[in-house]
Amino acid sequence: MISANFRAVLILISGLVIALTIGNCTADESEPRPTDAKPSRIVDGLDMDTGLVAEGEYLLVKGNCIACHSAKLVTQNRATREGWSQMLDWMQEKQGLWDLGPHREPILDYLATYYAPEESGRRPPLQDIEWYRLEDESPTD
Ligand code: HEC
C-alpha cells in the first residue's frame, strides 16, 4: 500500500519534471534569438562585418540572419516586402528559422527598403538641373 503510493508520487514527480522540461524548451523555441548584434566599422554606409547597408534596423538583421548562412544571401537578394515575407515563412517552415516575434516587422521594413527589386525602385527626382535654351539651328538660307 505504502509502496504503491510512493510509486504513484514518483511517477507524478517525474511527469512534472518532464512537463516542465518540455515547457521550457518550447518557451525557448519561441523566444526571439540574439538581437544584440554589435555595430562594426562602417565604410561607405556598409557594415564591414556583413556588407549590410548600415541604416535603419540593420542590427536586427545582423543579429538574426547570419547564423545559418552568409550575409551575402541577404545582400544579393532583391524582393518586395511580400517577397521577403515569403522567404522568411519558407525559412521558418523548412529551415528552422525561429519566430522573430516583434522583430519580424522591423526586419521586413529594413529588407523591403534597402533590398527592394531594382526595377521597382523609383529614380530620385532630378535636382539642380541647369536648363538652357537650345540655339535656333534652323537653316537661314
Ligand atoms: C535557422 C537558419 C536560418 C536563419 C537564422 C536564416 N536563414 Fe535564410 N536560409 C536558411 C537556409 C538553410 C537557406 C537555404 C540556403 C541555400 O540555399 O544555400 C536560406 C536561404 C535564404 C535566402 C535565399 C532564398 C532564396 O530563395 O534563394 C535568403 C534571401 C535568406 N535566407 C534570408 C534570410 C534572412 C533575411 C534571415 C533573417 C531574418 C535569414 N535568412 C535567417 C536558413 C536560415
Side-chain angles (χ1 to χ4, degrees):
M1 199 60 176
I2 291 168
S3 89
N5 270 342
F6 186 64
R7 208 179 302 151
V9 168
L10 264 185
I11 289 169
L12 244 165
I13 289 175
S14 44
L16 250 166
V17 168
I18 291 169
L20 279 174
T21 317
I22 292 171
N24 265 343
C25 285
T26 31
D28 281 343
E29 222 52 58
S30 62
E31 203 71 30
R33 291 303 155 109
T35 49
D36 54 343
K38 302 261 181 347
S40 73
R41 217 156 58 88
I42 293 171
V43 176
D44 292 336
L46 299 181
D47 174 81
M48 282 294 98
D49 284 350
T50 57
L52 287 166
V53 175
E55 283 179 41
E57 298 283 9
Y58 81 100
L59 290 176
L60 282 180
V61 176
K62 194 173 173 180
N64 284 285
C65 304
I66 59 173
C68 306
H69 50 67
S70 149
K72 280 211 182 97
L73 222 49
V74 181
T75 59
Q76 290 176 349
N77 261 281
R78 297 289 179 276
T80 59
R81 190 181 168 75
E82 180 60 26
W84 281 112
S85 181
Q86 283 167 5
M87 280 190 256
L88 297 196
D89 289 345
W90 171 77
M91 274 179 289
Q92 283 174 332
E93 277 166 34
K94 308 274 184 207
Q95 310 295 350
L97 171 61
W98 44 83
D99 184 358
L100 295 165
H103 297 135
R104 185 182 171 100
E105 291 303 307
I107 285 174
L108 283 175
D109 287 343
Y110 172 88
L111 295 169
T113 303
Y114 299 104
Y115 299 97
E118 254 130 52
E119 65 272 22
S120 84
R122 287 236 205 138
R123 180 177 56 77
L126 296 174
Q127 282 169 346
D128 305 326
I129 304 164
E130 285 180 40
W131 294 103
Y132 57 92
R133 191 175 290 278
L134 290 169
E135 294 299 321
D136 183 2
E137 283 171 3
S138 56
T140 47
D141 49 347

